[in-house]
Amino acid sequence: MKGENINNIHLVLKKMLWTSLIVFIFLIGRNILIPGVDAKQLARFLNNQYLLQIVNGTTGGDLSRMSLFALGLGPWMSATILWRVLTLIKKFDLKKIPIERTFLFKIAIAIIIGFIQSIAIISNIDINPKISIFAQTQFGAMATISLIMVSGAVFLVWLSNMNEILGIGGPTVLILASMIINWPTNVSLYILENVRSGLDINSVILMLVIMISIVFLVLLTVVVQRAQRQIPIRRILVNNNFYQQSYLPIQINPAGGMPLMYSMTLLVLPQYILQAVHYWLPNNVLVENGLDNIAITKPLGVTAYIIILFALSIGFAFININPDQIAEDLQQNSDYIDNVEPGDATREYITEIVFRLSFVGALYMSLIAGFPLYFGIIDKQYTQYALTAGSIIILVNLVINIIDQMKALLTKNNYSALFFE
């Protein structure tokens, strides 16, 4: 028992060292700046792009300084969702493709999305043609910077995969590191803005309300994430004190914080596309109207975001909890749920429960991080508050997932012998 604990601790320490090294490389990449970019103009462009700023922070990106990892894991996350949608189309029959080839297809999609995103960003700022490795032209410089940004995004995917294999937390650690780095800067800027504009009683009360709201939201997120529906399981091959304690746990919010991250990423993708098209068609009325209406401060943009968030909350629930696999495992182990026949009946029963709980989780996500965005249509300041609420939910869920993984590693093989001491 003691030896197992020591081995588990050594395993966790080893993984933590690998994760520390990977995070260190990630931080170095964030500080490798892409040359030839007008930083002041970039800051002006990002100033009113609330969703773009939040998405950038929740995908490990760093657009504010245009670093090597400026795009973060955004292209990869978008590619993952698009690939998932394609696999649902039975005509393509993509589920039979080997894992290695699937990864290559997703990387290819991510590269295409990365180029679209990078071109959309670069087209809104001035760049120096002299940095071009193709030709000393504006287009050559744009292609050069896009290539650097996409290369950084692909390297970041590889880095997150290495952390999945060797470290703790997989890609979530890099996203968590990015959010932790960005948050102190954002908070300090908010406080400085209030100090410069002159602190009055209303400003102080507002800051206190925000602080209390953040604490409340953190506690609420922990409670929702930990809350479970426990379905009793009858194990006919077990006849001891644990017989009555066997159950199938399903979280009240089975999707966790993933829908928020991916819904933000998906919503900002059409904006990237339209911004890239706008560079080539600067006076096109349809493109300009599209850019204006799909913004997160517009009714259409907010509605689209809530619909995507709601749909992904249900979709990710069934990705995290597979009723088919659970029903099959129960049947193979001769286990069953009371008053439910094994096989198809069990699968339908679990599917119904997962759908109900995911519906509750989707409502929770929409009420906390979705519907408040409608207030931003009246005053853009509320948009920042609503998006920040979503970021807090993401941050708390990432921390909980990493803690759970560390606990699992620490208790790995930590059990007494069944027949012998």
Side-chain angles (χ1 to χ4, degrees):
M1 187 80 167
K2 186 176 180 181
E4 293 291 348
N5 285 333
I6 294 174
N7 291 335
N8 293 342
I9 293 172
H10 286 168
L11 176 63
V12 171
L13 290 175
K14 181 180 178 181
K15 285 183 171 291
M16 289 178 65
L17 286 173
W18 274 112
T19 297
S20 300
L21 175 61
I22 289 169
V23 171
F24 179 69
I25 296 172
F26 172 67
L27 295 178
I28 291 176
R30 283 176 60 94
N31 286 280
I32 299 176
L33 304 182
I34 299 175
V37 177
D38 189 334
K40 292 182 179 179
Q41 192 178 26
L42 176 63
R44 287 195 296 270
F45 167 67
L46 293 174
N47 188 39
N48 294 320
Q49 300 290 331
Y50 301 117
L51 183 61
L52 186 57
Q53 293 179 40
I54 295 294
V55 169
N56 195 234
T58 56
T59 57
D62 187 21
L63 279 178
S64 60
R65 296 185 302 164
M66 194 63 88
S67 69
L68 177 63
F69 295 151
L71 295 178
L73 290 168
W76 174 252
M77 293 168 66
S78 298
T80 302
I81 287 293
L82 291 176
W83 182 261
R84 181 69 183 176
V85 172
L86 291 174
T87 56
L88 296 177
I89 302 175
K90 295 182 179 180
K91 183 179 179 181
F92 294 157
D93 201 18
L94 297 177
K95 292 183 179 180
K96 296 182 179 180
I97 298 177
I99 297 176
E100 296 81 4
R101 189 173 295 179
T102 297
F103 178 78
L104 291 177
F105 279 128
K106 287 195 289 187
I107 279 289
I109 296 173
I111 289 173
I112 294 172
I113 294 173
F115 272 112
I116 293 172
Q117 292 182 355
S118 59
I119 291 171
I121 295 165
I122 299 166
S123 63
N124 286 278
I125 56 177
D126 291 332
I127 54 178
N128 189 347
K130 293 182 179 180
I131 69 165
S132 175
I133 61 174
F134 302 104
Q136 300 297 315
T137 62
Q138 192 75 6
F139 179 79
M142 182 182 292
T144 301
I145 295 177
S146 295
L147 184 61
I148 295 172
M149 294 173 70
V150 172
S151 299
V154 173
F155 179 76
L156 203 55
V157 172
W158 176 83
L159 204 61
S160 64
N161 286 342
M162 288 298 99
N163 192 52
E164 186 79 42
I165 297 170
L166 302 172
I168 295 175
T172 59
V173 167
L174 302 182
I175 296 172
L176 182 62
S178 175
M179 296 181 70
I180 291 174
I181 292 169
N182 292 334
W183 266 61
T185 303
N186 296 334
V187 171
S188 61
L189 286 174
Y190 177 79
I191 294 174
L192 283 174
E193 286 178 3
N194 281 275
V195 171
R196 288 172 182 173
S197 60
L199 281 175
D200 53 17
I201 187 65
N202 292 329
S203 298
V204 174
I205 292 174
L206 179 60
M207 291 176 68
L208 287 174
V209 169
I210 291 174
M211 291 173 63
I212 293 171
S213 300
I214 290 174
V215 173
F216 173 77
L217 185 56
V218 169
L219 295 175
L220 179 63
T221 304
V222 173
V223 171
V224 172
Q225 184 67 10
R226 292 302 190 191
Q228 294 179 344
R229 164 77 185 274
Q230 297 179 349
I231 304 174
I233 300 295
R234 297 296 182 182
R235 304 188 183 278
I236 63 175
L237 298 179
V238 177
N239 188 18
N240 55 28
N241 294 333
F242 297 105
Y243 177 78
Q244 300 295 333
Q245 299 177 13
S246 298
Y247 58 85
L248 174 66
I250 300 179
Q251 292 176 321
I252 301 299
N253 181 27
M258 299 302 288
L260 280 166
M261 298 169 60
Y262 282 88
S263 59
M264 291 178 181
T265 305
L266 283 181
L267 183 63
V268 83
L269 184 58
Q271 296 182 23
Y272 278 126
I273 295 173
L274 287 176
Q275 284 171 351
V277 173
H278 186 259
Y279 175 77
W280 304 105
L281 302 172
N283 299 318
N284 190 288
V285 178
L286 291 176
V287 175
E288 291 178 352
N289 288 337
L291 275 171
D292 183 58
N293 289 320
I294 65 172
I296 198 62
T297 54
K298 300 293 182 178
L300 181 61
V302 175
T303 304
Y305 174 72
I306 293 173
I307 292 173
I308 294 172
L309 177 60
F310 197 92
L312 289 182
S313 295
I314 295 176
F316 270 105
F318 283 95
I319 291 175
N320 295 337
I321 302 173
N322 188 339
D324 292 337
Q325 188 63 49
I326 293 174
E328 183 179 343
D329 291 342
L330 289 174
Q331 190 171 23
Q332 288 180 351
N333 293 325
S334 299
D335 301 331
Y336 65 95
I337 300 171
D338 280 341
N339 302 317
V340 181
E341 294 184 2
D344 291 339
T346 299
R347 176 182 56 79
E348 293 173 1
Y349 177 78
I350 296 173
T351 299
E352 183 180 356
I353 291 177
V354 173
F355 179 77
R356 288 178 179 177
L357 294 178
S358 64
F359 191 86
V360 173
L363 284 177
Y364 161 73
M365 288 289 190
S366 300
L367 290 173
I368 298 296
F371 286 103
L373 287 169
Y374 281 115
F375 292 106
I377 299 171
I378 304 170
D379 187 346
K380 291 183 179 180
Q381 187 177 16
Y382 293 111
T383 299
Q384 290 181 301
Y385 296 150
L387 291 175
T388 300
S391 297
I392 293 171
I393 295 175
I394 293 171
L395 184 65
V396 173
N397 276 277
L398 292 178
V399 172
I400 290 174
N401 290 336
I402 293 172
I403 291 174
D404 287 345
Q405 186 174 348
M406 291 184 67
K407 285 182 178 179
L409 289 170
L410 286 171
T411 57
K412 184 180 179 182
N413 299 325
N414 190 9
Y415 51 84
S416 302
L418 183 61
F419 297 108
F420 306 99
E421 285 293 337

